[in-house]
Amino acid sequence: MNKLKLILILLTAVFTVNFGWAQVGINTTTPLSTLDINGNLSVKTITLVGSGVATDISDGVYISINPQATDQEFRLPSAVTYPGRVYIIRNINNTVTAMLTSSAGMLFPKGSTTGSTQIYMYENSKRSVIVISDGSNWTYFD
């Protein structure tokens, strides 16, 4: 009976340590973060073509948007529903402005406390943006 208790205590300790301090290393034997990648990272890329109604952004990480008319709307998902979500968005149309909105939450430029319900992406200004959900709103970097 004492051997069984000792084995159970050791198994509990081993599983607690392994799950409590779980770190995954890709191409490294000593990960220093929860996910530690020693190499290149590829993310899903998609292209969204604008239409007569708002085009929802719901998939991918690097997103090329291609508006077909001025101020065509591309809508981010709810910042509340997807805390921590990150998108890299680029307007690939050289002549047409795209409008970026959110289904819930406002868009705040980095370092600002003043948000807006939309941002415009066009040549030489906000051509590419990175947006990050904080669980309430989106912060963008251009």
Side-chain angles (χ1 to χ4, degrees):
M1 184 68 169
N2 286 339
K3 286 184 181 179
L4 181 59
K5 283 184 182 179
L6 180 61
I7 291 171
L8 289 174
I9 290 171
L10 288 173
L11 286 174
T12 301
V14 167
F15 284 115
T16 301
V17 169
N18 284 342
F19 291 117
W21 298 97
Q23 293 176 315
V24 175
I26 299 174
N27 203 25
T28 180
T29 56
T30 55
L32 302 175
S33 297
T34 304
L35 176 60
D36 192 341
I37 301 171
N38 181 13
N40 297 322
L41 173 68
S42 293
V43 295
K44 185 173 184 178
T45 63
I46 63 168
T47 299
L48 296 175
V49 177
S51 64
V53 296
T55 303
D56 288 330
I57 297 172
S58 61
D59 195 17
V61 176
Y62 186 92
I63 300 159
S64 298
I65 56 175
N66 189 1
Q68 302 300 296
T70 299
D71 297 343
Q72 210 154 48
E73 182 179 0
F74 293 85
R75 185 172 45 219
L76 293 164
S78 167
V80 175
T81 305
Y82 298 104
R85 179 74 56 100
V86 177
Y87 292 109
I88 303 163
I89 303 170
R90 178 165 175 80
N91 180 355
I92 61 172
N93 193 310
N94 289 328
T95 58
V96 179
T97 301
M99 180 175 54
L100 186 62
T101 64
S102 173
S103 63
M106 295 182 68
L107 295 146
F108 287 85
K110 68 175 180 176
S112 176
T113 57
T114 304
S116 62
T117 57
Q118 74 275 334
I119 59 173
Y120 295 92
M121 301 175 64
Y122 51 92
E123 185 68 29
N124 298 324
S125 180
K126 295 181 188 66
R127 175 77 178 243
S128 297
V129 296
I130 298 171
V131 293
I132 304 171
S133 167
D134 65 7
S136 297
N137 296 292
W138 294 94
T139 299
Y140 67 89
F141 304 81
D142 56 2

